[in-house]
mmCIF file of all heavy atoms in Angstrom:
data_model
loop_
_atom_site.group_PDB
_atom_site.id
_atom_site.type_symbol
_atom_site.label_atom_id
_atom_site.label_comp_id
_atom_site.label_asym_id
_atom_site.label_seq_id
_atom_site.Cartn_x
_atom_site.Cartn_y
_atom_site.Cartn_z
ATOM 1 N N ASP A 181 2.634 -4.561 -7.156
ATOM 2 C CA ASP A 181 3.018 -4.302 -8.542
ATOM 3 C C ASP A 181 2.045 -3.322 -9.193
ATOM 4 O O ASP A 181 0.928 -3.124 -8.719
ATOM 5 C CB ASP A 181 3.017 -5.615 -9.349
ATOM 6 C CG ASP A 181 4.044 -6.611 -8.828
ATOM 7 O OD1 ASP A 181 5.116 -6.151 -8.392
ATOM 8 O OD2 ASP A 181 3.757 -7.826 -8.856
ATOM 9 N N GLY A 182 2.483 -2.738 -10.301
ATOM 10 C CA GLY A 182 1.582 -1.986 -11.156
ATOM 11 C C GLY A 182 1.469 -0.507 -10.844
ATOM 12 O O GLY A 182 2.122 0.035 -9.948
ATOM 13 N N ALA A 183 0.580 0.146 -11.605
ATOM 14 C CA ALA A 183 0.401 1.597 -11.533
ATOM 15 C C ALA A 183 -0.058 2.086 -10.157
ATOM 16 O O ALA A 183 0.432 3.123 -9.680
ATOM 17 C CB ALA A 183 -0.574 2.043 -12.620
ATOM 18 N N PRO A 184 -1.002 1.396 -9.472
ATOM 19 C CA PRO A 184 -1.423 1.878 -8.151
ATOM 20 C C PRO A 184 -0.257 2.013 -7.172
ATOM 21 O O PRO A 184 -0.199 2.965 -6.395
ATOM 22 C CB PRO A 184 -2.423 0.819 -7.685
ATOM 23 C CG PRO A 184 -2.954 0.230 -8.938
ATOM 24 C CD PRO A 184 -1.804 0.223 -9.893
ATOM 25 N N SER A 185 0.668 1.059 -7.234
ATOM 26 C CA SER A 185 1.834 1.124 -6.350
ATOM 27 C C SER A 185 2.707 2.332 -6.669
ATOM 28 O O SER A 185 3.198 3.021 -5.769
ATOM 29 C CB SER A 185 2.645 -0.163 -6.475
ATOM 30 O OG SER A 185 3.788 -0.120 -5.639
ATOM 31 N N HIS A 186 2.876 2.600 -7.958
ATOM 32 C CA HIS A 186 3.682 3.757 -8.360
ATOM 33 C C HIS A 186 3.031 5.068 -7.902
ATOM 34 O O HIS A 186 3.728 6.001 -7.493
ATOM 35 C CB HIS A 186 3.870 3.760 -9.875
ATOM 36 C CG HIS A 186 4.717 2.637 -10.377
ATOM 37 N ND1 HIS A 186 6.009 2.412 -9.930
ATOM 38 C CD2 HIS A 186 4.470 1.654 -11.286
ATOM 39 C CE1 HIS A 186 6.520 1.353 -10.538
ATOM 40 N NE2 HIS A 186 5.603 0.869 -11.366
ATOM 41 N N LEU A 187 1.702 5.130 -7.949
ATOM 42 C CA LEU A 187 1.002 6.325 -7.485
ATOM 43 C C LEU A 187 1.198 6.529 -5.987
ATOM 44 O O LEU A 187 1.439 7.650 -5.529
ATOM 45 C CB LEU A 187 -0.490 6.221 -7.814
ATOM 46 C CG LEU A 187 -0.901 6.431 -9.271
ATOM 47 C CD1 LEU A 187 -2.401 6.231 -9.433
ATOM 48 C CD2 LEU A 187 -0.508 7.818 -9.761
ATOM 49 N N MET A 188 1.076 5.441 -5.214
ATOM 50 C CA MET A 188 1.274 5.546 -3.767
ATOM 51 C C MET A 188 2.675 6.035 -3.439
ATOM 52 O O MET A 188 2.862 6.942 -2.622
ATOM 53 C CB MET A 188 1.024 4.186 -3.100
ATOM 54 C CG MET A 188 -0.429 3.826 -2.944
ATOM 55 S SD MET A 188 -0.670 2.357 -1.906
ATOM 56 C CE MET A 188 -0.146 1.058 -3.015
ATOM 57 N N ARG A 189 3.663 5.432 -4.066
ATOM 58 C CA ARG A 189 5.042 5.836 -3.811
ATOM 59 C C ARG A 189 5.276 7.288 -4.217
ATOM 60 O O ARG A 189 5.961 8.043 -3.515
ATOM 61 C CB ARG A 189 6.020 4.918 -4.539
ATOM 62 C CG ARG A 189 7.484 5.258 -4.268
ATOM 63 C CD ARG A 189 8.414 4.292 -4.969
ATOM 64 N NE ARG A 189 8.434 2.999 -4.322
ATOM 65 C CZ ARG A 189 9.204 2.717 -3.272
ATOM 66 N NH1 ARG A 189 9.994 3.643 -2.732
ATOM 67 N NH2 ARG A 189 9.183 1.511 -2.745
ATOM 68 N N SER A 190 4.688 7.702 -5.329
ATOM 69 C CA SER A 190 4.839 9.077 -5.789
ATOM 70 C C SER A 190 4.290 10.063 -4.767
ATOM 71 O O SER A 190 4.926 11.083 -4.461
ATOM 72 C CB SER A 190 4.126 9.256 -7.133
ATOM 73 O OG SER A 190 4.116 10.605 -7.524
ATOM 74 N N VAL A 191 3.120 9.748 -4.214
ATOM 75 C CA VAL A 191 2.526 10.625 -3.200
ATOM 76 C C VAL A 191 3.435 10.722 -1.977
ATOM 77 O O VAL A 191 3.708 11.820 -1.461
ATOM 78 C CB VAL A 191 1.129 10.110 -2.806
ATOM 79 C CG1 VAL A 191 0.643 10.805 -1.533
ATOM 80 C CG2 VAL A 191 0.136 10.339 -3.942
ATOM 81 N N LEU A 192 3.917 9.580 -1.492
ATOM 82 C CA LEU A 192 4.774 9.577 -0.300
ATOM 83 C C LEU A 192 6.088 10.310 -0.555
ATOM 84 O O LEU A 192 6.571 11.062 0.304
ATOM 85 C CB LEU A 192 5.050 8.147 0.148
ATOM 86 C CG LEU A 192 3.843 7.359 0.677
ATOM 87 C CD1 LEU A 192 4.281 5.985 1.158
ATOM 88 C CD2 LEU A 192 3.133 8.112 1.789
ATOM 89 N N GLU A 193 6.676 10.097 -1.710
ATOM 90 C CA GLU A 193 7.941 10.776 -2.016
ATOM 91 C C GLU A 193 7.751 12.283 -2.122
ATOM 92 O O GLU A 193 8.624 13.054 -1.713
ATOM 93 C CB GLU A 193 8.527 10.210 -3.305
ATOM 94 C CG GLU A 193 9.103 8.804 -3.121
ATOM 95 C CD GLU A 193 9.642 8.217 -4.412
ATOM 96 O OE1 GLU A 193 9.345 8.779 -5.498
ATOM 97 O OE2 GLU A 193 10.366 7.191 -4.352
ATOM 98 N N ASN A 194 6.615 12.718 -2.647
ATOM 99 C CA ASN A 194 6.348 14.156 -2.722
ATOM 100 C C ASN A 194 6.145 14.755 -1.333
ATOM 101 O O ASN A 194 6.623 15.853 -1.049
ATOM 102 C CB ASN A 194 5.127 14.420 -3.603
ATOM 103 C CG ASN A 194 5.409 14.190 -5.073
ATOM 104 O OD1 ASN A 194 6.565 14.157 -5.493
ATOM 105 N ND2 ASN A 194 4.360 14.034 -5.865
ATOM 106 N N VAL A 195 5.406 14.043 -0.471
ATOM 107 C CA VAL A 195 5.241 14.519 0.912
ATOM 108 C C VAL A 195 6.592 14.578 1.611
ATOM 109 O O VAL A 195 6.909 15.549 2.311
ATOM 110 C CB VAL A 195 4.274 13.597 1.682
ATOM 111 C CG1 VAL A 195 4.251 13.974 3.173
ATOM 112 C CG2 VAL A 195 2.867 13.679 1.093
#
Side-chain angles (χ1 to χ4, degrees):
D181 297 325
S185 179
H186 292 303
L187 285 177
M188 283 190 286
R189 182 178 286 276
S190 173
V191 167
L192 293 183
E193 287 178 346
N194 288 342
V195 172

